[in-house]
């Protein structure tokens, strides 16, 4: 009986891990325009509003594209808005970061998909990208 319970727990953990790694990412849900006017730290992410000049999105894209585990989910520099998906190395937890250029202002929203708290991961990544400006 204990052995069967152990296998059930193992199957549950493996199944949850597979779902986290393989769940599709719907651009319609994650690639959305930002309306924030001020920077904020959130339990599940971060909002940053910074004055970068008109080329802020281009510069951020160059930095983000070199970040391990990060790829474009939707958008482009020419569209004025990009959403990236960054996955953790081991389990593959996805985080989404949307960046939008509005004149000289760059708005960035980094947030988690699963859970309620990201333990500062999105803040560290977004602030790290901005530090490279």
């Amino acid at each position: 009986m204990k052995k069967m319970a152990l296998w059930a727990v193992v199957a549950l953990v493996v199944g949850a891990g597979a779902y986290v790694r393989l769940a599709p990412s719907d651009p319609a849900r994650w690639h959305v325009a930002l309306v924030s006017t001020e920077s904020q730290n959130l339990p599940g992410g971060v909002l940053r509003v910074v004055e970068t000049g008109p080329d802020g999105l281009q510069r951020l894209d160059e930095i983000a594209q070199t970040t391990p585990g990060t790829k474009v989910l939707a958008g482009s520099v020419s569209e004025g808005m990009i959403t990236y998906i960054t996955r953790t190395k081991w389990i593959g937890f996805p985080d989404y970061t949307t960046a939008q250029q509005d004149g000289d202002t760059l708005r960035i929203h980094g947030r988690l998909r699963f859970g309620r708290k990201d333990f500062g991961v999105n803040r560290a990544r977004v602030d790290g990208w901005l530090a490279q400006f």
Side-chain angles (χ1 to χ4, degrees), residues 21-53:
R21 185 171 285 279
L22 302 173
S25 297
D26 181 7
R29 178 176 178 194
W30 300 104
H31 188 62
V32 294
L34 306 170
V35 294
S36 181
T37 58
E38 60 185 45
S39 295
Q40 301 175 48
N41 294 327
L42 308 167
V46 65
L47 291 166
R48 291 292 179 255
V49 180
V50 293
E51 295 300 316
T52 60

Side-chain angles (χ1 to χ4, degrees), residues 4-114:
M4 190 172 12
L6 176 64
W7 281 112
V9 169
V10 168
L12 182 64
V13 169
V14 168
Y19 177 75
V20 164
R21 185 171 285 279
L22 302 173
S25 297
D26 181 7
R29 178 176 178 194
W30 300 104
H31 188 62
V32 294
L34 306 170
V35 294
S36 181
T37 58
E38 60 185 45
S39 295
Q40 301 175 48
N41 294 327
L42 308 167
V46 65
L47 291 166
R48 291 292 179 255
V49 180
V50 293
E51 295 300 316
T52 60
D55 66 339
L57 186 59
Q58 173 66 47
R59 292 169 35 211
L60 183 77
D61 183 55
E62 292 168 3
I63 294 165
Q65 296 269 5
T66 65
T67 302
T70 299
K71 66 179 186 172
V72 173
L73 175 67
S76 67
V77 172
S78 63
E79 292 176 27
M81 186 168 79
I82 304 172
T83 298
Y84 305 95
I85 181 170
T86 303
R87 291 189 176 272
T88 60
K89 186 175 183 178
W90 190 69
I91 296 178
F93 280 106
D95 288 323
Y96 299 91
T97 306
T98 300
Q100 181 181 19
Q101 188 76 48
D102 182 16
D104 288 342
T105 303
L106 182 64
R107 290 181 174 82
I108 307 168
H109 183 200
R111 66 259 192 223
L112 55 73
R113 175 172 180 174
F114 297 107

